[in-house]
Amino acid sequence: PSLCQCPISSMEMQNAKTIFDYALSVSCASTEDDNDNDGNLGYGSQANKSWSELCKFLHGTICGGTEWDALPETMKPWIRLRDCIEVGREEWRYGEEQLLYHYTKDPEILMSLLNGDNS
C-alpha cells in the first residue's frame, strides 16, 4: 500500500517543534536560574520526588487560573502547542474553560460554569 501524505505542513511542523522545545525547556526548569519569567519552577523541580509525590504534583496541584493572564508561564506554551496545528483545530479544540480547567484544576472555573457565569 502507498503511504498517506502527512496532513501537517512543514511550516506547522517547524512551528510545533519550536513551541515544543520551548515548552519542554520551561517545564523542565529545576533551579531558580532556569525558571520562567514569573519565578515558577517546572516539572524538573520534581525530578528527585517519589512517584507518589510526582503524581500529587502533576494531578493535585491547583493554581489560580480563571483568566489566561493568571496562568503560570510554564503552562502557556503547552496550550500554544495545541493550537499550532491546523488539522482538527476548529472541530476538536477544547473550549476556553475546559482548557483552563485542564491546566489549572481551579474549581472556580467549574463553579462559574455551574452558576452560569460563563460569558
Side-chain angles (χ1 to χ4, degrees):
S2 61
L3 295 176
C4 296
Q5 183 177 4
C6 181
I8 301 167
S9 72
S10 59
M11 182 184 283
E12 285 178 314
M13 290 179 92
Q14 182 56 46
N15 188 31
K17 181 182 179 340
T18 300
I19 294 169
F20 179 80
D21 289 347
Y22 176 71
L24 200 55
S25 74
V26 296
S27 291
C28 290
S30 59
T31 68
E32 293 296 328
D33 293 334
D34 50 342
N35 63 11
D36 68 21
N37 294 333
D38 292 336
N40 297 310
L41 294 176
Y43 303 131
S45 65
Q46 305 298 308
N48 294 323
K49 305 276 181 160
S50 69
W51 278 111
S52 157
E53 292 170 313
L54 182 59
C55 285
K56 184 176 180 181
F57 174 77
L58 292 174
H59 302 292
T61 301
I62 298 172
C63 69
T66 56
E67 301 292 329
W68 286 107
D69 291 342
L71 282 177
E73 289 301 316
T74 54
M75 293 180 183
K76 291 177 183 178
W78 294 109
I79 297 168
R80 284 184 41 227
L81 184 60
R82 291 172 174 255
D83 289 336
C84 73
I85 304 296
E86 186 177 331
V87 175
R89 182 174 48 213
E90 298 301 318
E91 302 88 351
W92 304 106
R93 186 182 192 275
Y94 293 150
E96 299 299 307
E97 293 90 356
Q98 192 173 7
L99 274 173
L100 280 170
Y101 182 75
H102 174 76
Y103 284 95
T104 65
K105 298 168 190 66
D106 186 340
E108 289 298 316
I109 296 167
L110 299 178
M111 293 305 297
S112 71
L113 290 170
L114 287 172
N115 294 328
D117 298 339
N118 57 331
S119 42

